[in-house]
């Protein structure tokens, strides 16, 4: 996979649970792109907003046949559960160009102090 990664510098310091969840969301999204759209270009964006962390992963259609045949995976289910655990939002679906887009937001706890 060719991955274009952009991480907001303010997202480099996060509460442990939010940071780990964001990491796992990106990890699973990249795994899905590798399985279902080999040779694709993937764009990953992580942005810290005032009260939430936004994670977006989008891949194009890819250049090869899927590397593995998957009858029913649990990747998106696991992502949905992880996002739900934090009271976040998740949007997933195909793109106009034949790729796939995942957009998750995780609420950020208020600053301590």
């Amino acid at each position: 996979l060719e991955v274009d990664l952009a991480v907001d510098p303010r997202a480099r310091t996060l509460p442990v649970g939010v940071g780990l969840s964001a990491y796992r969301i990106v990890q699973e999204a990249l795994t899905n792109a590798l399985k279902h759209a080999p040779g694709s270009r993937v764009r990953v964006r992580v942005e810290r907003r005032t009260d939430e962390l936004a994670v977006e992963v989008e891949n194009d259609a890819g250049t090869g046949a899927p590397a593995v045949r998957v009858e029913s995976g649990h990747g998106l289910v696991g992502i949905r559960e992880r996002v739900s655990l934090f009271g976040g939002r998740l949007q997933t679906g195909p793109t106009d160009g034949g790729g796939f887009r995942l957009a998750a937001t995780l609420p950020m706890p208020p600053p301590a102090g």
Side-chain angles (χ1 to χ4, degrees):
L1 294 175
E2 179 183 325
V3 179
D4 174 27
L5 173 65
V7 178
D8 180 340
R10 298 170 298 155
R12 296 187 190 274
T13 305
L14 298 169
V16 173
V18 172
L20 179 59
S21 289
Y23 172 83
R24 296 289 298 178
I25 289 166
V26 171
Q27 181 183 40
E28 186 61 42
L30 290 173
T31 298
N32 286 345
L34 184 61
K35 287 180 182 177
H36 301 289
S40 64
R41 288 188 304 239
V42 183
R43 184 177 64 91
V44 178
R45 300 288 179 262
V46 180
E47 179 186 2
R48 185 173 187 164
R49 300 175 181 158
T50 303
D51 58 351
E52 66 186 10
L53 182 72
V55 177
E56 182 178 309
V57 182
E58 183 174 333
N59 62 272
D60 63 19
T63 58
V68 294
R69 184 172 179 213
V70 179
E71 295 297 326
S72 62
H74 299 287
L76 289 178
V77 172
I79 291 172
R80 189 169 308 283
E81 289 173 354
R82 188 173 297 279
V83 170
S84 178
L85 179 68
F86 282 90
R89 297 180 312 278
L90 177 65
Q91 296 176 333
T92 62
T95 64
D96 291 339
F100 195 81
R101 180 177 176 271
L102 175 149
T105 55
L106 302 172
M108 294 287 293

